[in-house]
Amino acid sequence: MTDAAHLDPLDELAGIRQSIDNIDAALIHLLAERFKFTQQVGRLKASSGLPASDPDRERVQVARLRALASESHLDPEFAEKWFTFVVAEVIHHHERLANGAKSAGDPA
Ligand SMILES: O=C(O)C(=O)C[C@]1(C(=O)O)C=C[C@@H](O)C=C1
């Protein structure tokens, strides 16, 4: 039987952790892809003199992500905190690019 109730709890924990590991790996890959695109945005903004941050775009995204989170039974507050945390890092990268760094990771 593969029913969870008949598994050793430590085996069951190890099985669940395999799925958590896969999801964490996918999240890291998705974040890396997101930062590749935001680096493109940062270069475009730096070369055309556009401001690093766009509060209107952020407001639209926060509303959209909060609604998606609610539909998915994820805490909308958490979704907003996650977005705000990531965007703060993106803006930092944009500012470094605007100040002459070749890539967001370079010392400016
Ligand atoms: O879309 C942009 O203009 C970006 O710079 C990307 C991004 C984001 O990471 O989503 C980051 C900073 C802006 O304030 C808004 C959005």
Side-chain angles (χ1 to χ4, degrees), residues 34 38 41 45 52-55 57-58 83 87 90-91 94:
R34 192 185 196 283
T38 55
V41 172
K45 285 184 168 181
S53 75
D54 183 340
R57 163 75 177 166
E58 289 177 33
F83 180 73
V87 165
V90 171
I91 290 171
H94 286 356

Side-chain angles (χ1 to χ4, degrees), residues 13-69:
L13 180 60
I16 298 168
R17 282 181 174 168
Q18 274 185 0
S19 293
I20 292 172
D21 287 354
N22 287 345
I23 290 169
D24 285 348
L27 288 173
I28 292 297
H29 289 137
L30 287 171
L31 265 178
E33 284 303 304
R34 192 185 196 283
F35 274 97
K36 277 191 208 165
F37 282 115
T38 55
Q39 175 130 330
Q40 281 183 29
V41 172
R43 288 214 188 88
L44 185 65
K45 285 184 168 181
S47 64
S48 51
L50 287 166
S53 75
D54 183 340
D56 287 341
R57 163 75 177 166
E58 289 177 33
R59 266 190 291 279
V60 170
Q61 276 296 74
V62 164
R64 182 172 161 261
L65 294 177
R66 287 186 70 104
L68 284 170

